[in-house]
Amino acid sequence: MAAGVPADALGRRVLCGTEYGTVRYVGSVSPTAVWLGVEWDDPQRGKHDGTYEGKQYFKCRHPRGGSFIRPNKANFGVDFLTAVKGRYGLNEKQDAQNGIENTCVFGKKTVEFVGRDSIEKKQSQLHRLVHISVHECAVSHAGQKEEISGTCPNIRHIDLSKNLVAYWDTVIDIASQVPNLETLDISGNKMKFSSTSISASSAFPKLTTLALNQTEMTWTEVLLCAPGWPVLEELYLTSNNITALERPDNVLQTLKLLDLSNNLLLDGSQLHLIGHLPRLEQLILTNNGISSVHFPDAEFGCKTKMFPSLKHLAINDNKISQWSSINELDKLPSLQVLECRNNPLMDTEKNPETLRQLIIAKISQLEVLNKSQIFPDERRGAELDYRKIFGKEWLAAGGHWDPARNKPSEEFLAAHPRYPSLCLLYGAPEEGELKGQQPLTLRNQLLTLTIKCPDNPEQKPVEKKLPESMTIQRVKGLLYRLLRIPGSELKLSYESSKLKGKEVELDNDLKPLQFYSIENGDSVLVRW
């Protein structure tokens, strides 16, 4: 092997300037020189696919992802402890020989060291380190056995992201010297996995959080490693080109958060394979190309046995286009938080507020939608509105306010599985409620309302026609002009013509009148 080229160079990760790559070939290209054939992480850095002058020296996934470099241009990295000392200000040779004054920052504290005393004090500081970050420090191997545990015995959290770690064995070698390790981030290290070392590993007895983003790790490899993570609670696997899942039998049973964002799962039925993780509370599936979600083990109106503990689901940036998938989410027994932005479904309604109300009405236990809390009044308004909007469709499908004659079709129940429970909660819609009801997309009609000032009997009631889409803030502005009082000081409520004596506060200036399910003939009560 040529000078400067490690004996195990083939397959190693290298850094050349700011570019990362993997060595795919070591040997001669011209008669006298040794070259490294490198497949670059960024194919724009390359020149070819490993073929030079008609001869294939190595293969690349991208047709222009490879090139040859001289060995002296490649940085094969340093051991873990060398990187720690470099990051945290300990250069033993330089300090011992020259007595150079240094400053070192630990948290918010800056400490100055000189000569031999400097080394002892810095070593003491390293001894006390709990959080260590060697992000982008070109770490490629663990170093001497027990060296890490002897120098930094109190480490609990390590950021090893974006380094030159090429093998999972290296991670095991480092972790085995950190017995109290709780958090580990090794994202951005493209690694190979050896099944023999994986299955025998017991290096992570206390690990609760693990980030493996952009490591090219497959789900099969995750499951092979998982027996070594007996108490793992959070697992991050974004951007790994994962296309298929397998059922985790007797592993990952303590997992509470799983992030599979930016992969290629595509088929929503893949989720069934991880649906029986007993403690999983948060599942992040952003940008996976998923077009539908379905839980076939449960009928409409029933709860699925899958994902029994799932509280938070993120399905942003997917390809969900049908309301049936939203209906399915109501089957999740513990779902409280949903993120579903940037799906084709979001374009089916022009008014985002209408869209939000539909989702709220369809998922009974939801408390937060797209990072916005759902208050009880908003839920009640959404459910009443839903019950009224689809009332005509319910009647046409065989629905009836007489329970003995109420037999809506299977098609209606499939499209509106919560409708029966809403009728039980609020009563079946009466015929008078449904007269003249316009389709959902046309709901911008004028409401005839009576404006009353209960605390000012001299002010006579005034009848006004206002659009349903008018916000409370704009209503206040109108009343300011109408009643000649400051709009900002107004307190509004409304009284239904059907429920005399019961007031509902209009407490959100940004909400439209339709949000509160105000109807023709209702009275707006104004106080200041």
Side-chain angles (χ1 to χ4, degrees):
M1 190 66 67
V5 179
D8 62 347
L10 198 63
R12 288 274 296 271
R13 299 280 291 161
V14 292
L15 184 61
C16 182
T18 60
E19 299 292 338
Y20 289 81
T22 303
V23 177
R24 301 298 188 198
Y25 173 79
V26 180
S28 61
V29 177
S30 59
T32 56
V34 172
W35 293 80
L36 302 179
V38 178
E39 182 180 9
W40 301 102
D41 292 0
D42 179 6
Q44 300 299 318
R45 170 65 174 80
K47 297 179 179 179
H48 49 70
D49 65 350
T51 301
Y52 180 69
E53 292 187 348
K55 182 178 179 180
Q56 180 99 51
Y57 289 88
F58 61 98
K59 293 181 179 180
C60 291
R61 283 170 291 187
H62 192 277
R64 295 184 62 81
S67 66
F68 292 101
I69 62 172
R70 297 303 299 270
N72 63 347
K73 298 290 184 182
N75 178 1
F76 281 91
V78 298
D79 65 83
F80 178 79
L81 201 55
T82 296
V84 171
K85 291 175 179 178
R87 172 59 61 87
Y88 293 92
L90 178 60
N91 186 322
E92 291 172 323
K93 291 184 180 179
Q94 185 177 359
D95 284 357
Q97 292 173 4
N98 303 328
I100 294 175
E101 183 177 313
N102 289 306
T103 62
C104 189
V105 179
F106 296 94
K108 296 181 179 179
K109 186 177 180 181
T110 302
V111 186
E112 294 187 353
F113 303 121
V114 180
R116 184 172 179 178
D117 289 340
S118 163
I119 295 173
E120 292 175 354
K121 289 178 181 178
K122 287 180 181 178
Q123 286 175 331
S124 175
Q125 294 284 1
L126 290 174
H127 187 87
R128 292 198 296 269
L129 278 176
V130 174
H131 296 261
I132 281 184
S133 173
V134 285
H135 173 73
E136 289 190 331
C137 287
V139 176
S140 62
H141 54 288
Q144 295 296 318
K145 191 174 182 181
E146 306 304 327
E147 190 177 28
I148 299 171
S149 57
T151 307
C152 306
N154 294 307
I155 302 174
R156 292 179 183 272
H157 311 279
I158 297 177
D159 180 356
L160 192 57
S161 59
K162 200 67 177 175
N163 278 283
L164 300 176
V165 177
Y167 304 99
W168 180 248
D169 287 353
T170 301
V171 180
I172 293 174
D173 290 343
I174 293 171
S176 63
Q177 298 183 56
V178 188
N180 294 314
L181 185 62
E182 297 173 9
T183 304
L184 176 61
D185 186 353
I186 44 178
S187 302
N189 292 282
K190 299 184 187 300
M191 294 178 291
K192 290 183 178 179
F193 296 82
S194 164
S195 58
T196 53
S197 62
I198 287 171
S199 57
S201 172
S202 58
F204 309 95
K206 297 182 179 180
L207 190 69
T208 59
T209 303
L210 177 60
L212 289 162
N213 306 320
Q214 295 179 302
T215 57
E216 298 188 348
M217 192 174 196
T218 67
W219 184 251
T220 300
E221 289 165 340
V222 169
L223 297 186
L224 285 171
C225 296
W229 311 328
V231 296
L232 192 68
E233 295 182 355
E234 298 185 10
L235 178 58
Y236 299 85
L237 292 166
T238 72
S239 305
N240 282 322
N241 294 316
I242 294 173
T243 58
L245 302 176
E246 300 171 42
R247 183 165 179 155
D249 292 321
N250 302 317
V251 292
L252 302 179
Q253 300 300 295
T254 57
L255 202 63
K256 293 182 178 180
L257 182 152
L258 176 59
D259 189 349
L260 288 165
S261 298
N262 302 314
N263 285 292
L264 297 167
L265 293 176
L266 302 179
D267 183 2
S269 63
Q270 288 283 322
L271 304 182
H272 302 165
L273 297 167
I274 57 171
H276 298 282
L277 292 172
R279 299 185 187 177
L280 188 65
E281 296 179 0
Q282 185 170 355
L283 178 60
I284 306 172
L285 298 167
T286 300
N287 190 28
N288 263 279
I290 295 171
S291 58
S292 65
V293 179
H294 181 45
F295 302 108
D297 66 320
E299 297 294 328
F300 288 118
C302 302
K303 298 298 182 183
T304 177
K305 292 182 180 179
M306 300 183 201
F307 299 104
S309 302
L310 189 65
K311 296 178 181 179
H312 186 154
L313 176 64
I315 49 174
N316 299 318
D317 302 298
N318 278 287
K319 296 181 178 180
I320 294 170
S321 60
Q322 301 296 321
W323 281 106
S324 57
S325 291
I326 301 298
N327 293 337
E328 289 289 319
L329 297 182
D330 189 49
K331 295 179 179 179
L332 292 168
S334 304
L335 186 65
Q336 297 174 0
V337 182
L338 175 65
E339 297 178 49
C340 57
R341 293 181 296 273
N342 299 327
N343 279 279
L345 179 67
M346 305 300 112
D347 299 327
T348 60
E349 297 295 336
K350 293 180 180 179
N351 187 340
E353 194 58 47
T354 300
L355 188 78
R356 176 177 170 85
Q357 289 187 44
L358 284 171
I359 295 173
I360 291 170
K362 283 178 174 288
I363 305 177
S364 59
Q365 297 175 138
L366 212 56
E367 296 178 3
V368 179
L369 175 58
N370 291 331
K371 299 189 176 179
S372 178
Q373 187 173 354
I374 302 166
F375 293 101
D377 284 349
E378 182 181 13
R379 171 163 291 286
R380 181 178 179 278
E383 292 177 341
L384 282 170
D385 207 27
Y386 189 94
R387 164 185 161 276
K388 184 169 64 175
I389 290 299
F390 295 101
K392 281 191 172 182
E393 192 176 331
W394 172 70
L395 287 173
H400 201 278
W401 37 83
D402 180 355
R405 299 168 63 186
N406 181 31
K407 297 179 181 179
S409 67
E410 289 294 323
E411 290 78 11
F412 179 84
L413 293 176
H416 307 283
R418 279 210 73 212
Y419 203 89
S421 62
L422 294 179
C423 288
L424 287 173
L425 187 61
Y426 300 109
E430 297 177 10
E431 193 171 1
E433 288 184 79
L434 305 178
K435 280 184 178 178
Q437 183 64 49
Q438 295 190 23
L440 190 62
T441 53
L442 301 177
R443 295 187 70 241
N444 195 23
Q445 61 202 46
L446 292 176
L447 294 171
T448 302
L449 304 175
T450 302
I451 310 299
K452 296 180 180 179
C453 302
D455 297 342
N456 296 75
E458 305 137 12
Q459 184 76 50
K460 292 182 179 180
V462 180
E463 192 173 275
K464 295 293 292 183
K465 289 189 176 182
L466 304 177
E468 282 187 332
S469 59
M470 194 173 194
T471 63
I472 304 304
Q473 188 174 40
R474 288 180 58 202
V475 172
K476 285 182 176 180
L478 173 69
L479 293 174
Y480 163 69
R481 296 189 296 273
L482 183 68
L483 305 176
R484 300 182 182 278
I485 50 177
S488 59
E489 297 179 10
L490 294 181
K491 293 181 180 178
L492 304 186
S493 58
Y494 86 92
E495 185 179 58
S496 171
S497 57
K498 298 175 184 175
L499 298 170
K500 294 292 184 184
K502 184 175 181 181
E503 289 186 35
V504 177
E505 245 186 285
L506 305 177
D507 54 359
N508 189 330
D509 284 358
L510 301 179
K511 296 294 184 184
L513 289 169
Q514 66 187 22
F515 169 76
Y516 293 97
S517 298
I518 297 177
E519 300 177 340
N520 276 317
D522 289 352
S523 298
V524 174
L525 308 180
V526 186
R527 295 181 176 89
W528 61 91

